[in-house]
Amino acid sequence: MAANLVKAGHEVTVYNRTPGKVQALVERGARAAARVADACQGDAVITMLADDAAVEGVVFGETGGVIGSLGEGAIHISMSTISAALSQRLAAAHTNAGQRFAAAPVFGRPDAAAAAKLFIVAAGAPDALDACSPLFAAMGQKTIHISNEPPAANLVKLSGNFLIASVIEALGEAMALVGKAGVDGHRYLDLLTSTLFTAPVYKSYGALIAERKFEPAGFAAALGEKDIRLTLAAAETLRVPMPLASLLRDRFLTLLAHGGEALDWSAIGQLAAKDAGLGDPPSGSRG
Amino acid sequence: MAANLVKAGHEVTVYNRTPGKVQALVERGARAAARVADACQGDAVITMLADDAAVEGVVFGETGGVIGSLGEGAIHISMSTISAALSQRLAAAHTNAGQRFAAAPVFGRPDAAAAAKLFIVAAGAPDALDACSPLFAAMGQKTIHISNEPPAANLVKLSGNFLIASVIEALGEAMALVGKAGVDGHRYLDLLTSTLFTAPVYKSYGALIAERKFEPAGFAAALGEKDIRLTLAAAETLRVPMPLASLLRDRFLTLLAHGGEALDWSAIGQLAAKDAGLGDPPSGSRG
Amino acid sequence: MAANLVKAGHEVTVYNRTPGKVQALVERGARAAARVADACQGDAVITMLADDAAVEGVVFGETGGVIGSLGEGAIHISMSTISAALSQRLAAAHTNAGQRFAAAPVFGRPDAAAAAKLFIVAAGAPDALDACSPLFAAMGQKTIHISNEPPAANLVKLSGNFLIASVIEALGEAMALVGKAGVDGHRYLDLLTSTLFTAPVYKSYGALIAERKFEPAGFAAALGEKDIRLTLAAAETLRVPMPLASLLRDRFLTLLAHGGEALDWSAIGQLAAKDAGLGDPPSGSRG
Amino acid sequence: MAANLVKAGHEVTVYNRTPGKVQALVERGARAAARVADACQGDAVITMLADDAAVEGVVFGETGGVIGSLGEGAIHISMSTISAALSQRLAAAHTNAGQRFAAAPVFGRPDAAAAAKLFIVAAGAPDALDACSPLFAAMGQKTIHISNEPPAANLVKLSGNFLIASVIEALGEAMALVGKAGVDGHRYLDLLTSTLFTAPVYKSYGALIAERKFEPAGFAAALGEKDIRLTLAAAETLRVPMPLASLLRDRFLTLLAHGGEALDWSAIGQLAAKDAGLGDPPSGSRG
């Protein structure tokens, strides 16, 4: 994503806790920041981090955090998959500090990010989003302005991962059922994905489940569990019962309880088969 | 489907309990049968009926049923969505009677049937399926030979409806969540269906849920409930726990308990919103 | 139960498919019947059998079944745990045959039956139940006339087993939780059962779960699965969603899929611990 | 509880945010504290508050909190129903401050507290618990030393509320089932509670469900929701999937989404009947 910003002609200063990780970007024309504060001197700062704690650490850090370093009127664009609650806190904190805030999480795997093909779900004040649009254009194939309230974008992102995990669970149960009846998994998937379920998620996750190939992880189970947890937390605040999300939570906990943190999150799609007495329990050691 | 057989040049004799229903086919060149037995005099007989009971009635009827009327070596092609257990019984009964049997349920809505664009999931002995192939070619755009065991095709068909109902439930929960947070349902669906969830089922059922438009039914909730019930019955026989299917069963029962039999089955996608205190309970009276 | 009838002075004729099983009763004063019909010559006949199929076989058997053999006005007392639907069919069939019918399933383990300490849940026409009362008094410590409609008694019996299975599941989850936190299972149970949960079911099933002692079975998992299945079947007919019963169904299927038919039904109480990564999967081989 | 300490001869200093609430205790011989710190001058301080936030406020308050005010070696006895995570933090903070800590949540309703009939679940270092034993003896009928780790007591307390809520859910489903079949709810409860389910929880909650009497609340639904949430949070940390707890969570959210915060938590026992189309939706306005 940063490389695409550089390529589009923006001046980019990059910071990463692990200095070596920015080297490739520096070679393409970015500047390396020694501290978070050094990356906050422009018109906008983009955060793309693993979870709420990482974002909180970078933004609210006592000295040299984003809040303490960003100029008046400058924009913090949060592109991480974080909780709606933290997004709300960030929006309030930036407003208090005379800064602007936009939530802009993305859909797309690493290869889509590299190709500037991300889908960007943006929420924030219209003027802030307008100001961000050249940046979004450099990173994604499409930006959807979903709401004026930043947390809405984070909620939509979480809900998207909930929907994907639902597909994994549904496929897992269906494949356990027909598999136990003797139907070949690949033939079954060919049928599904050439007829009703042509979306890429069915093809890609169906294949992983059929082949029981959960390593290396495209998206780790520990992150999947986190996103379902954040979905349920938002649902609790909003008082929205989500029984399917609860089922997914239990699936992820079962997977993690058996050492599956580092497997691809589609490994929850094996649990129905396991409960049905098919094959082996999931484990970190299975290739 | 019968019209497409006629159009392809096959000699077709049609029977329906309600004589008026065959009139349009007769005008296109089919012959009308006065009794079931009269429709069993050719090389193959196709049954396409609402449920197990209807198929049992027509096939095992004491006098003049399909079993009693079909010639030696002739084929019964069962295209209804019936239980795997009945499919097994039919296969055995036809074998005992010196006849052949193929299960060939279809995926596709009425307009796909009219346009000969159905997907046909066929299972049975290879020689029987070979003999059926001109008929399948006249009715569908693609035939997948999924197994030599007829019940497998019925199970695959049921599992397909389970997967669709899973999509409805997942969308219902996600839309209740983001909707209660103030996100516009149509904008949300546009985002989903233009990015990760491009499959037609997301577009069509998402729109019905967003508009709360469950009448007229494309596929009635009572039939959806039946298919989930048959899925769970097969899962029980095979000992495959399917917690998502159990959730769907409870959703359908809730809908039926409130008078929703005749609504489109996507009306279960409103129940998450109802539990979240959004809008009104589903009922047969809402347009 | 039969022994208690003999002891109370009733003339008792007993039939069992396995002749040796009636020997002990004959020694106490009962007469042995060679055929079902021979046991249907008195004022009342009591059936106590394993499942619906066994009861159907004995009652509707073409020649010499209960329906065909029982005298006019005589009463069939069905004490088995059968489906509400079969109870309804039996009631109708006996009425058609000029006979009377009462459903009278029981609560209590084999030792309670031997000690005439059963609780009898009776339903049927008041005159029929009045006529049965000396028999009930000989077998149980208390008879509750729950309804005039026989299926209601069967439904109540099934609901009782659902409630017990719910206790097992709840204990299983709670013990997995505190157990994984290091709390001793027996100390935990002592606490629970000496305070809020003094009912015997908590003591007896809690101890089995804490000790993982599921053999020999007091009540086999296969029977437990059957009762939950019949509960859900009745719930479906009545359109009552029961998500906890659905969960129990999935637990039993998981247990049976791993070969646990013959274990005590409380073995479902181990599945939460198994999902949490504690201990071994359930199997028929563990003592 | 404080009154029972006074009665037993202990010197008691009481603090409550609402000064009027301590008046009755002062009349019995307690001293009123003007600030939290004034109540921390003795050998032990007991906290009994509504939730985690209240306990955190009182203990970690910048000036005059329990941590800042308690003498060296003095004991903080936390009797509130709080999270295992907070209990862990409290234990660490008191150790750091040279103080001692015991978790001692209780089972029992307000009348049991008044009668010194509480069951106290205590966890902490043996020396701390020994020192507390005269206090426990003054307040409860029995103290169970469940673990040396304070959070274990909080987890056990939470699990107890989970078990009670499970009883409510199971009764709710069973009563919806037999109720829709026409069985009288009170007669059904008499049967259950005089046979297998003699524990008081079945009698008391069953009666509330049968009478749909959820006001005034003995224990408010909002608190029930909190306890299930804390149970699930602990289960997530420990990686213990608890599908029944997840179901209860969804039930509570449904109730709260319909304005039921202030109803008795047994009001979740009406939701199965509501889903089955029996009666009205739960609301705060129904007596």
Side-chain angles (χ1 to χ4, degrees), chain A residues 155-156 158-171 197 201-202 228 231 240-248, chain B residues 161-179 188-189 192 197 201-202 205-206 209 244-245 247-248 251-252 265-273:
Chain A
L155 195 61
V156 165
L158 292 170
S159 80
N161 281 359
F162 157 71
L163 287 170
I164 297 173
S166 298
V167 168
I168 295 170
E169 171 65 23
L171 280 175
F197 301 98
V201 289
Y202 285 87
I228 296 300
T231 301
V240 179
M242 295 180 71
L244 176 44
S246 292
L247 168 58
L248 294 171
Chain B
N161 281 359
F162 157 71
L163 287 170
I164 297 173
S166 298
V167 168
I168 295 170
E169 171 65 22
L171 280 175
E173 295 190 16
M175 291 169 76
L177 177 69
V178 303
Y188 179 66
L189 276 178
L192 293 179
F197 301 98
V201 289
Y202 285 87
Y205 289 116
I209 297 170
L244 177 44
L247 168 58
L248 293 171
R251 291 296 204 194
F252 277 112
W265 69 331
S266 56
I268 63 164
Q270 276 299 101
L271 296 177

Side-chain angles (χ1 to χ4, degrees), chain D:
Chain D
M1 291 164 65
N4 284 320
L5 290 171
V6 172
K7 199 196 275 184
H10 297 284
E11 283 183 41
V12 180
T13 304
V14 291
Y15 172 79
N16 192 297
R17 275 184 310 174
T18 312
K21 290 203 175 176
V22 306
Q23 189 53 35
L25 288 166
V26 170
E27 286 166 11
R28 297 184 189 206
R31 281 198 309 169
R35 300 170 307 154
V36 168
D38 297 338
C40 297
Q41 304 306 316
D43 300 325
V45 62
I46 294 173
T47 50
M48 189 60 163
L49 296 157
D51 56 25
D52 275 30
V55 173
E56 283 183 271
V58 161
V59 174
F60 297 112
E62 288 191 23
T63 59
V66 173
I67 290 279
S69 309
L70 202 61
E72 191 171 336
I75 305 177
H76 172 196
I77 308 170
S78 167
M79 303 188 80
S80 317
T81 300
I82 58 171
S83 70
L86 178 56
S87 190
Q88 187 67 55
R89 278 180 58 209
L90 292 172
H94 283 295
T95 298
N96 283 347
Q99 301 151 354
R100 292 186 288 175
F101 179 69
V106 300
F107 283 110
R109 296 206 151 220
D111 56 344
K117 294 281 191 190
L118 292 170
F119 293 97
I120 298 171
V121 184
D127 69 284
L129 294 190
D130 284 350
C132 298
S133 63
L135 304 178
F136 293 155
M139 294 184 284
Q141 66 172 292
K142 187 173 179 182
T143 298
I144 300 95
H145 182 175
I146 199 78
S147 171
N148 291 347
E149 304 296 327
N154 301 96
L155 195 61
V156 165
K157 166 64 185 176
L158 290 170
S159 81
N161 281 0
F162 157 72
L163 288 170
I164 297 172
S166 299
V167 168
I168 295 170
E169 172 65 23
L171 280 175
E173 295 190 16
M175 292 169 75
L177 177 69
V178 304
K180 205 162 177 184
V183 174
D184 176 72
H186 288 98
R187 198 180 299 184
Y188 179 65
L189 275 178
D190 283 349
L191 165 64
L192 292 180
T193 58
S194 66
T195 56
L196 288 169
F197 302 97
T198 52
V201 289
Y202 285 87
K203 289 189 192 178
S204 54
Y205 289 115
L208 296 180
I209 297 170
E211 293 164 18
R212 300 190 182 195
K213 180 170 164 37
F214 305 120
E215 291 174 302
F219 185 65
L223 294 174
E225 191 273 340
K226 182 203 71 170
D227 286 357
I228 296 299
R229 175 161 33 92
L230 296 181
T231 301
L232 285 168
E236 185 161 305
T237 302
L238 291 164
R239 296 181 173 176
V240 178
M242 296 180 72
L244 178 43
S246 291
L247 167 59
L248 293 171
R249 175 187 179 280
D250 288 331
R251 290 296 204 193
F252 276 113
L253 289 181
T254 299
L255 188 63
L256 299 192
H258 289 83
E261 290 90 340
L263 298 181
D264 191 74
W265 68 331
S266 56
I268 63 164
Q270 276 299 101
L271 295 178
K274 179 189 155 198
D275 285 347
L278 296 167
D280 302 309
S283 78
S285 60
R286 198 176 55 227

